[in-house]
Structures are given as C-alpha cells and as structure tokens.
Amino acid sequence: MSTRTALIVGASRTLGLGLATEYTRRGWDVIGTVRGSGRTGLHELAEASGGSVTVESLDMTKPDRITALRDRLAERTLDLLFVNAATTRGDIPIGDVPEEMFTEVMVTNALSPMRVVESFRSLVAPTGTIGVMSSTQGSVGLNTNGGQDVYRASKSALNQLMRGYAARHADAAHTLLLICPGHVRTELGGPDAPLSIDQSVPGVVDTIDRHSGEPGLRFLNHQGRPVPW
C-alpha cells in the first residue's frame, strides 16, 4: 500500500500540530501549513520526521496565498484535506462587538476554510476525506447558555457553508467531516478545559479514519458521536 498523504492547514501548534504529529506517527506523509516565517513546532516535527513532514507557508485569509499553495501542490494527491485554523476575540456580547472584529472572525473561521476546501478539492483523491475543525459551539440546538457570540456564529456559519458545499457536490464520493475536538486546553479552550491535546487528537484521527470512504457530510465529536446541528 502506498503511503497516504494529509494536508493539514493550520499545523504550527496546539491541535493542528497534534494532528500532524499523530498522522506522522501512523505512517502518513504530512504537509502542514504555518503562517509567517517564524520557527514553529511543525518545523521541529519536520526535522525529526525523516522527510515525511513538509512545511508550507499559508495565510488562508489571503486568497492569492491559497492559489499559490494550490499551484505548488498541483501534482500531489491528497488522501485527507483538513482545515484546522481558527480564531476568537473573547467573550463579548454581540451588541458590543466592533464590526472589524466580527468581520475578522467570520473571514478566518468561516469564509477562509471554505475557500481552501473549494480550491483544493480537486487534489483530494476520489474517495478521500475533506475535514474542517468545527465546535459544539457552532450547534444552534446546543446553545442554551449563550456567550462567545461571534465565535459561535462563525462556527455555525462554517457548518452551514459545509452543508451547502455538500449539497452542491452531492455527486462526489468524498467523505466530508465537521469535527469537534472536545473542550481542549488551548488558547481557544482555556486553561481549565478538561481535555489535553493528547487526549483529544487520537480520537479525532480515529473518527476521521473510521469514516474514510463513506460519502456525505457528518458533524461528529472527537469520540465519533454525532453533534446536533
């Protein structure tokens, strides 16, 4: 069997780096993206990988950078495209959120991941997987406490856009996944979150692998359980 290849967008640290590390451990070739030119944990992983990890630069909020990376990888076939990058700007009631902040979070968390998906879908193997990191905070049905208004809205928008994408490409055999990693101790999840990256990531990868080759869109958590829309 030939080595499988994953492109992980947003792999410089935390969950993205954890995914790159786990896929490398499982014998995949990994292409990971970072923003900027600074040294990151992904660079260290690449140096220790014996050539199985490649570092690429991408600011996915800039469409021309997406196009440039797509051109650089034009001859590659991806078994997995996974978009991990996201941002938040704190727990601010929606009436107090500046327009610029709202736009930044929406562009980063909803519009830009879909631009990546649309741009790279033709590089994904016919029965490959396209995944995007979502969150239970994007669930309308589970929002009973409020808070994190803009972040919630951006993840809900991402989920809706993926549903639209799935409907538009219903004839494709790609597995489409929206994944919630659980409440993880990261900058987004906070220091008191119950899960470490090492507790979340293997479940995320197991869930992705479990549904490989199954066409259609699913919204699942890191344990493989469906998340209400």
Side-chain angles (χ1 to χ4, degrees):
M1 176 183 288
S2 60
T3 302
R4 291 177 291 178
T5 300
L7 171 60
I8 301 174
V9 175
S12 62
R13 58 193 178 90
T14 61
L15 284 167
L17 178 59
L19 287 170
T21 301
E22 184 68 12
Y23 274 108
T24 302
R25 188 184 69 79
R26 298 189 187 200
W28 286 54
D29 285 340
V30 173
I31 306 164
T33 76
V34 302
R35 292 181 65 180
S37 57
R39 184 173 175 82
T40 71
L42 186 65
H43 291 88
E44 296 177 4
L45 179 65
E47 289 175 359
S49 72
S52 64
V53 176
T54 303
V55 181
E56 288 281 357
S57 178
L58 176 66
D59 180 347
M60 70 174 185
T61 65
K62 301 184 183 303
D64 61 321
R65 306 287 177 83
I66 296 175
T67 300
L69 179 59
R70 168 64 175 75
D71 291 344
R72 292 199 299 273
L73 300 180
E75 302 304 317
R76 303 293 296 270
T77 298
L78 306 174
D79 299 284
L80 170 67
L81 165 64
F82 195 90
V83 186
N84 170 67
T87 191
T88 184
R89 286 294 179 263
D91 188 5
I92 304 172
I94 192 62
D96 298 328
V97 173
E99 183 175 337
E100 297 80 6
M101 181 186 295
F102 184 85
T103 300
E104 178 194 4
V105 175
M106 282 291 182
V107 169
T108 301
N109 294 1
L111 177 59
S112 296
M114 295 311 303
R115 282 174 167 165
V116 172
V117 169
E118 292 279 12
S119 181
F120 283 86
R121 65 179 300 271
S122 63
L123 299 188
V124 179
T127 57
T129 299
I130 298 173
V132 181
M133 195 72 86
S134 186
S135 171
T136 55
Q137 293 197 60
S139 167
V140 174
L142 292 179
N143 185 5
T144 59
N145 297 320
Q148 296 289 343
D149 290 346
V150 179
Y151 183 76
R152 285 183 186 272
S154 71
K155 290 299 187 179
S156 294
L158 175 65
N159 294 349
Q160 184 70 271
L161 292 169
M162 275 295 284
R163 290 199 80 158
Y165 174 90
R168 194 164 59 254
H169 299 290
D171 57 339
H174 288 152
T175 301
L176 303 176
L177 297 174
L178 287 159
I179 297 290
C180 171
H183 191 186
V184 184
R185 291 189 292 275
T186 64
E187 288 183 19
L188 291 174
D192 298 323
L195 294 176
S196 69
I197 291 170
D198 290 342
Q199 289 171 317
S200 168
V201 164
V204 170
V205 175
D206 286 343
T207 297
I208 294 170
D209 284 354
R210 189 177 305 125
H211 292 280
S212 176
E214 298 178 2
L217 176 64
R218 294 165 180 81
F219 185 12
L220 305 169
N221 69 12
H222 71 290
Q223 297 172 318
R225 296 173 183 163
V227 180
W229 293 89

